[in-house]
Amino acid sequence: MVPRRLPASACFVVAGLTVLHPLLAKESVCFRTGFCMQADSHTQQGQTFIFQSGSGTMEFPADQISQIVPLADEPAAQAAKNSGNSPQAAADFNNLLRHAALDQGLTPEFVRSVARVESGLHQEAVSSKGAIGLMQLMPSTATELGVDPKITEQNAQGGAKLLRELLLRYRYDPVLALAAYNAGPGAVEKFKGVPPYLETRRYVLRVLREYNRQQKLESPAP
């Protein structure tokens, strides 16, 4: 079935959800859990929204989504992505994390918050368990993701990709996704929720607090 194209000003309401669908603009998709992601565009089939992100698609029931808001294009981020700069030439880790987040359709503040809690934004950081760099990727996890954790740009991309996979796995519940990022999906499945590990529970709270702080910093003053 070929998705029906909508005009730039099309506006429709489904299950109490008002959506402005701009042509060729990125969108911020917010779920009723309070978490938001970014998508390139969306179509609707019945009570299901289909979001396009990069070369892939994601489907969610309409009643799980609170709002879809158009975003302005980010030419600077796209230009940096296309420039092919090596990690050694990138002095700003925040920009690397931002680009990685946008590539995976995630909010930059969320990915940056994880990196701050994981490593304090230090690529040279290595944990006692062997996790490497900015997003603290285990070597085995990095191999599965197809990245070299010792290269800053790939480390950021791998961490953002892992976060996206976990968010999809747990239907965009950030608490479960963060718990799995810290303790592993096996622990979340075993305990059917956040594992009763003090380290993991503190980790989830720290990231969510940092995420809230980052959002306030990015929000314009009233």
Side-chain angles (χ1 to χ4, degrees):
M1 178 178 181
V2 179
R4 180 169 58 89
R5 291 187 179 275
L6 299 177
S9 60
C11 182
F12 54 96
V13 178
V14 176
L17 169 67
T18 302
V19 183
L20 179 65
H21 194 308
L23 185 64
L24 298 179
K26 287 187 178 295
E27 303 168 335
S28 175
V29 183
C30 294
F31 294 80
R32 299 196 185 280
T33 60
F35 188 79
C36 298
M37 70 170 191
Q38 287 189 6
D40 295 328
S41 62
H42 76 269
T43 56
Q44 181 195 358
Q45 294 182 1
Q47 294 297 310
T48 300
F49 282 107
I50 304 172
F51 298 98
Q52 182 74 33
S53 181
S55 59
T57 59
M58 299 168 284
E59 298 184 12
F60 297 97
D63 60 6
Q64 290 187 7
I65 301 168
S66 62
Q67 64 177 345
I68 302 174
V69 181
L71 298 175
D73 289 335
E74 300 199 30
Q78 188 63 35
K81 175 183 174 182
N82 294 334
S83 66
N85 288 335
S86 68
Q88 292 78 9
D92 190 343
F93 285 170
N94 284 326
N95 282 338
L96 286 179
L97 292 166
R98 182 177 184 82
H99 300 158
L102 294 176
D103 284 346
Q104 296 299 322
L106 301 179
T107 56
E109 295 81 17
F110 185 67
V111 175
R112 186 162 59 239
S113 296
V114 172
R116 282 187 177 278
V117 173
E118 286 285 352
S119 69
L121 300 184
H122 290 96
Q123 172 57 27
E124 68 275 11
V126 179
S127 75
S128 58
K129 296 179 181 179
I132 299 171
L134 199 65
M135 299 292 286
Q136 291 290 275
L137 297 178
M138 294 295 290
S140 58
T141 302
T143 299
E144 293 175 2
L145 294 168
V147 299
D148 184 344
K150 296 180 181 178
I151 299 178
T152 310
E153 186 175 19
Q154 292 190 32
N155 190 297
Q157 290 285 346
K161 182 179 180 181
L162 177 57
L163 282 172
R164 179 178 183 273
E165 291 176 354
L166 292 172
L167 285 164
L168 286 171
R169 179 170 184 164
Y170 298 111
R171 304 182 72 81
Y172 274 87
D173 185 325
V175 173
L176 293 181
L178 290 170
Y181 194 96
N182 178 264
V188 174
E189 301 300 328
K190 177 181 177 180
F191 294 101
K192 301 185 184 304
V194 179
Y197 308 147
L198 184 59
E199 175 192 343
T200 300
R201 295 192 171 190
R202 284 179 173 172
Y203 171 83
V204 172
L205 287 174
R206 288 178 63 199
V207 174
L208 292 178
R209 285 171 180 165
E210 176 62 20
Y211 180 42
N212 184 56
R213 188 183 74 85
Q214 292 285 335
Q215 286 184 308
K216 289 180 179 179
L217 289 175
E218 292 294 325
S219 299

